[in-house]
Structure formats: structure tokens, C-alpha cells
Amino acid sequence: MVVENRRDKRYSLSSIEVSVNGAVGKIVDVSARGVLVSDIKGDFGLDDPCKVMFQVPLHGHITEYTVDGTVVRRIVEVMGISFPAPTSAWPAVLALLEIIETEGE
């Protein structure tokens, strides 16, 4: 049995759009302090600083969150980025989006 020993819950959310230094990617999963992104074009190396922008649909509006991140994993087309939570409500936003995507509005 595999035991997940992570600090933050991860969410696979298709409704959030993400870009890293302006390059659009696809979220594999996102948590309160990190994101795993695929299909990012660009020359990113480990420990490289980057700007991560999330476009989050909530209540009929798109809210943008931009954070300073650091590349912590880079494997072929997948990149892990660590960042401070963009807002203290970020974990609640992710949990709400999971409910909306699973159960509908």
C-alpha cells in the first residue's frame, strides 16, 4: 500500500488555466503551494525562478492570481513549481473548484 505523505492535498482541476512566464500549459495537479504542469514550452531548469499565473473561474468571473515560483522538478514535458499560496483563501478556492467540477454548480 502506498501512503501519500504530502503537506498539501493535490487537486486535478481542468477549469484552471495556467501559464508560466507567459507560456500556457496544462495543469496535471495543483495544491496550496505547488503545481505540476505539462506541455510548457520554454527553457526551464531546476531552481529557476518563474512567474506563474492562474486564471480561475469563480461565480461567473475569471480571477487571476500571479505568484513567484521556483522550478523544483523538470522531467521531459512535466514541470513542478513551488510557490507561496497566492492568497490565504487559495486552499478553499481549490476545494470549491473540486466540488464544482465533481458535482456541478
Side-chain angles (χ1 to χ4, degrees):
M1 179 167 114
V2 175
V3 176
E4 288 283 330
N5 192 19
R6 301 189 185 276
R7 293 190 314 179
D8 301 308
K9 180 176 178 179
R10 292 182 177 208
Y11 300 89
S12 295
L13 300 171
S14 60
S15 60
I16 297 177
E17 293 185 18
V18 65
S19 62
V20 181
N21 290 355
V24 176
K26 179 181 173 189
I27 290 180
V28 175
D29 63 41
V30 60
S31 72
R33 294 177 284 203
V35 65
L36 191 60
V37 185
S38 67
D39 304 328
I40 288 284
K41 304 239 185 302
D43 187 22
F44 297 95
L46 284 179
D47 297 322
D48 281 354
C50 58
K51 288 270 188 209
V52 182
M53 186 179 74
F54 297 100
Q55 292 185 323
V56 180
L58 284 175
H59 308 295
H61 297 79
I62 301 295
T63 302
E64 292 185 357
Y65 299 97
T66 301
V67 293
D68 293 321
T70 303
V71 177
V72 294
R73 179 202 269 179
R74 182 69 187 194
I75 303 171
V76 189
E77 292 137 13
V78 179
M79 182 167 56
I81 301 169
S82 174
F83 55 82
T87 173
S88 61
W90 186 241
V93 168
L94 298 175
L96 177 60
L97 285 174
E98 180 181 53
I99 291 168
I100 290 169
E101 286 190 19
T102 303
E103 301 173 10
E105 282 189 81

